[in-house]
Amino acid sequence: MGSNLIDALFIFMLAAFIGFEVIRRVSPLLHTPLMSLTNALDAIAVVGAIVLVGERRSTVSTVLGTIAIVAATSNVVGGFLITDRMLKMFKSSRPGKDRAPSSGSKA
Amino acid sequence: MTPLTSQTLIEVLYLIASILFILSLKWLSSPSTARHGVLAGEIGMVIAIGGTLLRHGIVDYKWIAISLVLGTIVGVPLGMVQMTAVPQRTALSHAFGALCVTLVGTSEFYLRSPDVPRFTMSVLAIEVILGSLTFTGSLMAAGKLQEVLPQRPITYKGQNFVNLALLAVAIAIAAYIVVNPAARTLFPAMIGIPLVFGVLMIIPIGGADMPTVISLLNSYAGLSAAAMGFVLDSKLLIIAGALDGSSGFILSVIMSKAMNRSFTNVLFGAFGQVQPAASAGQEVRAVRTASAEEAAAILSAANKVVVVPGYGMAVAQAQHKVRELYDALTKRGVEVRFAIHPVAGRMPGHMNVLLAEADIPYDALVEMDDINGDFPQTDVALVVGANDVTNPAARTDPGSPIYGMPILDVHKARTVMVIKRSMSPGFAGIDNPLYYMDRTLMLFGDAKGFVNNIVREFSGNHG
């Protein structure tokens, strides 16, 4: 138990550092997609709710867990969807340089 | 498969998911790789959920399946909202994330109590307190952004005292439950008080502070998920929560720096009410105005134009007309760029998304620090729906409530044109000396209509 706790704190600390270093490099251009993407990733909390519902431990926990899965799944689906929609819109004025040609290149 | 090997398999799947989540954020650093990032995140999510379903203890799949389908039905429309509505959608999804965390934490408490070790109970308390205040706080923020709630900050005497006292009571109850985990009847109070606090916390916050507040709520949502990871002993959840929490924290810092304010000032300051006196003793000052025809003539004679978009542009839905203006000017060989203030819009990076949606290439969008040095060489600065972020009083007038806030140096451009509906002050209620300068021309009208008129002047000249 004690070592689990210490392990967990180490993991949290390392992940927070990675988060700072990685996210510092995200261009301000993409801060809105960043927020919707981290929001979708954060909805991984759904796994906790799935376990809660799946183990069928009490009626209350099944009901609360079911609502929790609905809430988190909507974040997963909606978050990835809107992030991708936003990123699709970002185009460079130098066509071909940044992305594989999806349609005909602009004249 | 024996329980032990399936347990190992699940841990390996979670490890892969964690790697994919980190790569997902790493690839977001550049627009060219960003969409790979979304894909990596999606794959990681599918692997993690799939791995969870393999767990030995799971006996009931019916409600899992039903709720996954329901969540998808709710999620798809939330992923298809208009780009102007992205801030309220984001706030709503913070609320959903926090709701999930709070509900799971509540169930865990009632299943485990009274047998909860102190450390677990402490993080569980952090989980549900942060979760429940983020839930109602984010709902309030979404309501204000969607304009179903009044956007003006609402303040009353002793507000900060009431809020802090509530929070202190919630923490005291949490401390008591940590020591006495059998106190099941007190648990609802530990959720109820932060729920009320979440509402009260957002009531005094106005529209212009929303970027900071959304970022802060993002950070809380991440931290509460990480706390849930501690409670459930889930490394994956700790990692995802830490990533989300640090992302929200970084954005909060950037946003509050861009407004020259501290977190506490945003949360306890209530901007809009600061200075009723300033507008009271004001004489009517003269401004110079211009018509669309004159504006078009000035723009076509320019070599370098910088457009300064603000939230007013989004409200007027003028971004597509601005794009037509961009096209018309670029075709004539005029260099057109867009100056983006970090807090333009209602959430971090909002203005970039709106302009990208209108098909304006992202390399024409320039951040404040990179473009400020270029304003003296700029022939025309065209302000569309931005106000406080162009207010030179922030640099020159120590008495101004926004003194010290970083601004776009629009006033240094050779000619300044401001499209504005009327002379009414901005969200912060502060008068803008930019409008009274000799080199400034006010273009009165609706942003969309006025830009359209300018564009029509161009197409008219060339048949």
Side-chain angles (χ1 to χ4, degrees):
Chain A
M1 183 60 219
S3 77
N4 265 1
L5 153 66
I6 297 297
D7 286 354
L9 284 172
F10 268 94
I11 291 165
F12 178 77
M13 188 269 296
L14 290 173
F17 266 98
I18 292 178
F20 277 116
E21 286 307 311
V22 169
I23 286 150
R24 243 165 22 97
R25 291 184 171 77
V26 174
S27 149
L29 187 69
L30 298 180
H31 274 167
T32 298
L34 168 70
M35 202 183 270
S36 58
L37 183 67
T38 52
N39 202 273
L41 299 181
D42 190 49
I44 191 64
V46 74
V47 301
I50 288 177
V51 172
L52 195 65
V53 173
E55 291 182 346
R56 209 168 44 193
R57 289 195 279 179
S58 79
T59 315
V60 175
S61 73
T62 306
V63 172
L64 296 186
T66 304
I67 301 171
I69 298 179
V70 175
T73 311
S74 74
N75 271 2
V76 172
V77 175
F80 282 129
L81 200 59
I82 200 152
T83 309
D84 200 50
R85 274 181 61 217
M86 283 193 266
L87 292 175
K88 241 188 275 187
M89 299 181 321
F90 282 91
K91 296 182 192 80
S92 167
S93 63
R94 300 176 293 271
K97 196 195 168 224
D98 61 333
R99 198 172 293 136
S102 51
S103 57
S105 59
K106 279 187 272 183
Chain B
M1 217 167 359
T2 67
L4 193 67
T5 54
S6 82
Q7 187 58 37
T8 312
L9 172 68
I10 292 167
E11 290 297 328
V12 171
L13 290 177
Y14 283 176
L15 177 67
I16 296 170
S18 306
I19 294 168
L20 286 169
F21 284 1
I22 293 168
L23 283 177
S24 173
L25 293 175
K26 186 178 149 48
W27 282 332
L28 206 60
S29 60
S30 145
S32 55
T33 54
R35 289 188 70 198
H36 302 302
V38 178
L39 190 64
E42 286 168 345
I43 296 171
M45 189 61 71
V46 169
I47 290 176
I49 292 177
T52 307
L53 293 175
L54 294 177
R55 268 174 80 125
H56 200 65
I58 296 192
V59 288
D60 182 1
Y61 286 92
K62 189 180 75 186
W63 285 105
I64 295 176
I66 291 174
S67 46
L68 285 175
V69 171
L70 275 178
T72 309
I73 292 171
V74 178
V76 169
L78 283 176
M80 299 306 290
V81 298
Q82 286 203 327
M83 290 304 146
T84 39
V86 165
Q88 48 267 47
R89 191 217 80 91
T90 307
L92 198 61
S93 64
H94 292 154
F96 283 173
L99 176 68
C100 170
V101 166
T102 309
L103 293 177
V104 173
T106 305
S107 300
E108 288 294 328
F109 174 77
Y110 283 108
L111 290 170
R112 294 188 196 186
S113 157
D115 187 23
V116 195
R118 280 195 187 166
F119 174 75
T120 309
M121 193 58 231
S122 313
V123 280
L124 206 155
I126 294 171
E127 175 189 342
V128 296
I129 289 178
L130 274 181
S132 43
L133 75 85
T134 305
F135 175 61
T136 47
S138 299
L139 283 182
M140 287 291 294
K144 285 198 171 198
L145 288 163
Q146 184 67 32
E147 291 175 22
V148 292
L149 294 171
Q151 282 197 289
R152 285 208 67 77
I154 299 165
T155 51
Y156 54 87
K157 226 177 160 207
Q159 190 167 33
N160 292 337
F161 175 77
V162 171
N163 288 358
L164 288 175
L166 269 178
L167 196 61
V169 172
I171 291 170
I173 293 175
Y176 182 81
I177 298 180
V178 167
V179 182
N180 306 293
R184 295 165 74 108
T185 47
L186 270 179
F187 193 82
M190 193 169 75
I191 294 187
I193 294 173
L195 285 176
V196 175
F197 176 80
V199 174
L200 297 179
M201 179 176 77
I202 304 301
I203 280 179
I205 286 170
D209 281 328
M210 277 301 166
T212 319
V213 168
I214 288 191
S215 310
L216 212 54
L217 290 168
N218 181 24
S219 190
Y220 292 165
L223 289 178
S224 64
M228 176 173 162
F230 280 99
V231 173
L232 300 179
D233 198 16
S234 162
K235 300 175 184 71
L236 175 62
L237 205 43
I238 294 175
I239 292 171
L243 292 175
D244 194 30
S246 48
S247 166
F249 182 74
I250 290 178
L251 293 177
S252 315
V253 171
I254 296 174
M255 291 303 117
S256 44
K257 264 191 193 151
M259 301 194 73
N260 189 39
R261 305 174 64 195
S262 64
F263 286 168
T264 42
N265 188 259
V266 171
L267 286 175
F268 302 112
F271 219 32
Q273 311 299 86
V274 177
Q275 42 112 50
S279 49
Q282 221 171 70
E283 81 272 40
V284 180
R285 286 198 274 168
V287 295
R288 295 172 63 207
T289 63
S291 66
E293 192 183 347
E294 291 159 327
I298 294 168
L299 282 169
S300 61
N303 289 319
K304 288 178 182 230
V305 171
V306 173
V307 179
V308 181
Y311 187 62
M313 183 194 75
V315 172
Q317 292 285 332
Q319 56 268 38
H320 295 279
K321 287 293 165 201
V322 169
R323 194 237 138 95
E324 286 176 28
L325 179 64
Y326 169 83
D327 283 346
L329 288 172
T330 310
K331 213 182 287 173
R332 287 157 182 260
V334 181
E335 184 203 89
V336 183
R337 290 183 300 164
F338 292 80
I340 313 289
H341 193 279
V343 293
R346 279 295 177 266
M347 70 180 287
H350 190 198
M351 205 45 65
N352 298 305
V353 171
L354 294 172
L355 294 171
E357 186 194 19
D359 267 339
I360 292 165
Y362 64 75
D363 35 21
L365 313 179
V366 190
E367 296 302 320
M368 174 172 69
D369 292 339
D370 297 328
I371 202 157
N372 259 351
D374 294 349
F375 275 110
Q377 289 89 47
T378 298
D379 298 308
V380 181
L382 177 65
V383 181
V384 187
N387 184 352
D388 296 329
V389 298
T390 65
N391 192 337
R395 291 221 195 279
T396 54
D397 176 11
S400 170
I402 57 168
Y403 181 69
M405 176 175 122
I407 55 157
L408 291 160
D409 290 333
V410 172
H411 57 281
K412 290 185 180 161
R414 296 193 180 109
T415 303
V416 183
M417 297 201 281
V418 181
I419 302 182
K420 212 170 174 325
R421 206 179 280 275
S422 68
M423 285 307 287
S424 72
F427 287 103
I430 302 157
D431 198 32
N432 192 340
L434 178 74
Y435 304 154
Y436 310 105
M437 287 172 32
D438 281 341
R439 62 177 79 171
T440 302
L441 293 168
M442 298 302 290
L443 314 177
F444 286 116
D446 164 67
K448 189 176 178 179
F450 207 102
V451 175
N452 190 34
N453 290 344
I454 298 177
V455 173
R456 216 183 293 154
E457 289 296 327
F458 282 124
S459 52
N461 286 351
H462 271 245

